[in-house]
C-alpha cells in the first residue's frame, strides 16, 4: 500500500496539518532541526490537536541533540495524544548538526540509538 506524505518545516502546524488532512494526504512529517525551526514535538502536538486522521511524525530527529530517553517519551506521548497516529523518523542529523557546527552521529552511535 502506497502512502503519500508531506514533509515540511516545523512552524506552521496549526495551519498546515488541517490543510494536509483536507487534501487527503496520508501523513505529515515535520523537520527537527534545532536552532533553525520551532520545537518539533510541540508542533506535532498542535498538528495532532487540529486533525483526526492525518498521521504525524518527525522527518527526522537525531541521536546527537536528542537524548534517546527524552525522544522515546516524547514519541510515546504523541502516540497517545494522537490516538496512534504518531511516526518516529530518526536520522544521523545532517541539517540540525551542521547549523551548530557539529558532525553527524557515527553509524555505530546511530545504530545504538
Amino acid at each position: 500500500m502506497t502512502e503519500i506524505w508531506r514533509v515540511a518545516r516545523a512552524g506552521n502546524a496549526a495551519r498546515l496539518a488541517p490543510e494536509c488532512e483536507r487534501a487527503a494526504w496520508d501523513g505529515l512529517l515535520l523537520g527537527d532541526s534545532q536552532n533553525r525551526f520551532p520545537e518539533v514535538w510541540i508542533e506535532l502536538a498542535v498538528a495532532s490537536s487540529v486533525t483526526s486522521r492525518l498521521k504525524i511524525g518527525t522527518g527526522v530527529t537525531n541521536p546527537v541533540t536528542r537524548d534517546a530517553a527524552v525522544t522515546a517519551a516524547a514519541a510515546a506521548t504523541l502516540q497517545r495524544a494522537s490516538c496512534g497516529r504518531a511516526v518516529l523518523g530518526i536520522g544521523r542529523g545532517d541539517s540540525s548538526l551542521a547549523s551548530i557546527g557539529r558532525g553527524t552521529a557515527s553509524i555505530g552511535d546511530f545504530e545504538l540509538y
Side-chain angles (χ1 to χ4, degrees), residues 11-102:
N12 59 358
R15 178 189 58 77
L16 185 59
E19 287 177 8
C20 289
E21 190 165 79
R22 283 191 301 274
W25 289 85
D26 293 301
L28 172 64
L29 297 175
L30 297 180
D32 182 19
S33 193
Q34 298 85 21
N35 300 319
R36 296 182 65 213
F37 307 148
E39 174 54 38
V40 72
W41 294 108
I42 294 171
E43 286 286 301
L44 290 169
V46 168
S48 171
S49 72
V50 296
T51 58
S52 61
R53 178 200 57 78
L54 189 71
K55 296 174 190 170
I56 51 175
T58 54
V60 298
T61 193
N62 76 80
V64 176
T65 60
R66 297 286 189 182
D67 181 80
V70 177
T71 297
T77 302
L78 182 63
Q79 181 73 341
R80 177 175 278 181
S82 69
C83 299
R85 297 181 286 132
V87 174
L88 176 59
I90 303 170
R92 292 181 56 207
D94 295 349
S95 70
S96 63
L97 297 170
S99 68
I100 59 172
R102 296 185 62 186

